[in-house]
Amino acid sequence: YDLIPINYPIYHVGHTKQNMLNWMSCLIQSDKVISISKATHDDVLDCVNQYGLPVRPGVEFEWFHLGGDFHNYLHPDLVKNSKKGSRVLDEYREAEIDRLKGQINFLTVGTVEPRKSHVEMLRTMEVLWEKGLEANFIIVGKIGWLDQRNLDYIKSHSELGKRFFLFENLNDAKLNEIYDLASCLLYFSKVEGFGLPLIEAARHDGPIIVRDAQLRTRPRVPRP
């Protein structure tokens, strides 16, 4: 999916970079390594070259595009697990989603972690709210590796449940509903492996605001 722990270790802690390099050394003993984008494919080849990883002779490196066509598809696991959920929690989510109908909704989708810039987006919305904009900010994504101060800031925000909504565990069907309600997708990630929410939002024909791709400053390593 991506080599972010290797290329941008600043966003990870401990021995993540070395652990992933060890894992990559095992991975490239396979018959084929398939990446989810041309950019990730190039990163894999750069990594192998830069760190001199032991490639199995004959291994093939390929890539493909991710898709977002889940509109008319219901995964068997979703059907199986739907009976295990909490009816109270489901009803609460339904009520929150209903409150978004007919309003201006800025949406961001992705694991809540520092490189995704959720706090920056929330602070941007605070400025717009102060200027009188009547709009909601919606985060859909599970809590990942986020420093405690920013996590506390998000979880205890005064607008949470009012003009700021956090959905940590949504299935594809519910996420699809929120995409339909979104006025615009915000995607301010500093580093990205692919950015599947961009494809998903585009399928809904909505506006998308993204961070300038030129912020990707890691130099390419020339391959022999």
Side-chain angles (χ1 to χ4, degrees):
Y1 284 86
D2 65 72
L3 273 65
I4 292 172
I6 295 175
N7 296 333
Y8 303 92
I10 188 176
Y11 297 115
H12 295 268
V13 296
H15 303 287
T16 308
K17 177 178 179 177
Q18 187 57 52
N19 289 340
M20 190 167 189
L21 282 170
N22 294 341
W23 177 76
M24 280 291 296
S25 296
C26 296
L27 190 69
I28 55 180
Q29 304 310 309
S30 307
D31 297 311
K32 184 177 295 187
V33 178
I34 307 176
S35 302
I36 60 168
S37 69
K38 178 64 163 58
T40 301
H41 167 82
D42 291 342
D43 279 348
V44 169
L45 296 181
D46 287 346
C47 177
V48 170
N49 179 51
Q50 180 178 358
Y51 293 96
L53 301 182
V55 182
R56 186 186 72 80
V59 62
E60 299 178 15
F61 295 92
E62 296 186 2
W63 64 277
F64 70 100
H65 284 298
L66 288 178
D69 51 343
F70 55 75
H71 296 70
N72 297 311
Y73 174 70
L74 196 61
H75 194 281
D77 287 346
L78 179 59
V79 177
K80 180 178 64 177
N81 294 329
S82 62
K83 299 179 182 179
K84 299 180 181 180
S86 165
R87 189 176 70 177
V88 173
L89 180 58
D90 288 342
E91 290 176 353
Y92 175 75
R93 287 175 178 158
E94 286 287 353
E96 284 205 310
I97 293 175
D98 284 341
R99 292 171 58 187
L100 302 173
K101 295 178 179 178
Q103 300 188 47
I104 298 174
N105 299 307
F106 288 92
L107 168 67
T108 188
V109 179
T111 304
V112 180
E113 55 177 290
R115 68 183 176 88
K116 297 284 190 177
S117 303
H118 290 87
V119 170
E120 292 178 23
M121 287 183 275
L122 183 52
R123 292 196 185 280
T124 300
M125 292 302 302
E126 289 172 356
V127 173
L128 296 176
W129 288 329
E130 288 178 2
K131 292 180 177 294
L133 178 68
E134 290 299 323
N136 300 313
F137 178 48
I138 308 163
I139 295 177
V140 176
K142 65 180 181 180
I143 300 298
W145 40 95
L146 187 71
D147 66 88
Q148 193 60 44
R149 184 181 63 177
N150 285 336
L151 180 57
D152 291 342
Y153 171 72
I154 290 174
K155 288 280 196 173
S156 62
H157 198 279
S158 60
E159 291 294 336
L160 188 61
K162 301 173 184 175
R163 291 185 290 188
F164 169 39
F165 299 86
L166 174 62
F167 297 98
E168 295 184 46
N169 295 290
L170 288 186
N171 58 45
D172 284 347
K174 292 301 179 187
L175 175 57
N176 193 48
E177 284 185 40
I178 291 183
Y179 272 124
D180 282 333
L181 297 173
S183 308
C184 180
L185 178 78
L186 304 181
Y187 210 70
F188 290 3
S189 180
K190 296 182 177 69
V191 179
E192 198 54 61
F194 182 82
L196 183 58
L198 299 176
I199 305 303
E200 294 172 345
R203 291 183 62 87
H204 290 260
D205 299 322
I208 301 173
I209 302 176
V210 298
R211 187 184 292 274
D212 191 340
Q214 294 303 315
L215 288 181
R216 181 192 174 98
T217 58
R218 189 179 66 85
R220 288 289 184 198
V221 177
R223 293 189 291 276

